[in-house]
Each structure stands twice: as C-alpha cells, then as structure tokens.
Amino acid sequence: MDTQGFLSGLSLLWDGDPQVADHPRDRRFRAVLDTVRGMATENKLALLNFAASNLEPGEIYLEVGAFAGCSIIAAALGNDAQFVTIDDYSRPGSSAEECRRNLARYGLDNVELIDADVWDVLSDPPFSAPVGVYFYDGGRRFVEQYRALE
C-alpha cells in the first residue's frame, strides 16, 4: 500500500479534522448504523471502508468481533476483496444468525463469517491469503488486546 497516497485519500473523507467531525462526507454508513445493531460511529465505519478499499489484490480484510455485523458490513460495502470475520458469539445478545441475516440483507457474499473462538482460528487459520487490514474488536482486557496485536 502506498502510505502517502493512503494518507492523502484519507484526508478527503471528512470536512476538516476527523477527530472532531460529526460524520464523514459519505453518509451511506448512517444507513448501516440505522439497520444493524452495533456500537460504531459513522466515522469509524468510513475509516474501515476506506482501509478495505486500499487492499492489494489477493489480500484479505480480517475482523475479530462481528457481533451483529455492523463494522464488517460497512467495510465490505463497495469493495470486492475477501472479508473474514471471527466471533464466538459469547457476548450476551449476539448471535451468528442475526449477523448472517444482516450480511444477506446487504448482499455481501464476499464476507466469510467464522463462528468460533478467535484464538483457535488464528492458531490454524483457514485462509492462506495475506491479511492487508486487521480490525480487532474483541475482548477489552489487556491480555486479549496484547494477544490480538501479537
């Protein structure tokens, strides 16, 4: 990925400073937030989508923590890459069925949902493609965050 090109493209997503912007210029992510449960913001969804749009051919987007699918849906919108999300649905109120329904509602057949423990999956990944974008939205404890980066 061309870092300079990425950064200049990133600056075009918002009017002014994205740290204080209420929303990105592209408002299509508002509809995702209105139809899919999650805790994301339009700004985060725009950032994930832009990162995914910069994947090199053959790279995948890997997300840990699907919940109802809000972030992975936004990342995949308009992008032709392969997307993989892993969640064991142990969080109260989450279900793989709801996530699959939401993915289907948006017609995203390029998203693979793996319903399993992330550490089991990542110890022997079912994909061989290089990960170009990695978004960890799993456990919040220090050890989980450290392990996710490790």
Side-chain angles (χ1 to χ4, degrees):
M1 178 184 314
D2 169 29
T3 305
Q4 191 62 31
F6 179 83
L7 293 175
S8 63
L10 187 61
S11 69
L12 300 175
L13 297 180
W14 291 273
D15 292 321
D17 185 347
Q19 295 181 65
V20 296
D22 290 332
H23 55 77
R25 287 180 178 164
D26 183 353
R27 299 302 306 273
R28 67 187 159 141
F29 305 109
R30 180 74 248 168
V32 176
L33 291 172
D34 290 342
T35 59
V36 181
R37 291 186 315 130
M39 295 173 276
T41 64
E42 280 183 86
N43 288 333
K44 179 171 96 174
L45 299 183
L47 177 63
L48 294 174
N49 183 270
F50 182 72
S53 75
N54 282 273
L55 287 167
E56 297 289 334
E59 290 181 332
I60 67 168
Y61 174 104
L62 174 61
E63 180 172 305
V64 173
F67 190 61
C70 185
S71 296
I72 194 78
I73 288 168
L77 283 178
N79 291 315
D80 293 328
Q82 177 187 358
F83 293 79
V84 177
T85 186
I86 307 166
D87 200 317
D88 66 1
Y89 295 95
S90 59
R91 183 175 181 178
S94 65
S95 76
E97 295 76 27
E98 179 184 8
C99 188
R100 284 189 180 91
R101 281 192 309 273
N102 289 329
L103 290 167
R105 179 184 316 142
Y106 281 87
L108 296 172
D109 57 3
N110 59 335
V111 177
E112 178 183 359
L113 172 60
I114 300 175
D115 183 357
D117 179 83
V118 62
W119 311 121
D120 292 341
V121 173
L122 294 182
S123 68
D124 186 22
F127 47 86
S128 59
V131 175
V133 175
Y134 173 54
F135 175 51
Y136 180 82
D137 196 17
R140 305 297 191 263
R141 294 179 312 167
F142 175 82
V143 68
E144 294 164 317
Q145 296 285 316
Y146 182 84
R147 196 171 182 192
L149 291 173
E150 184 180 45

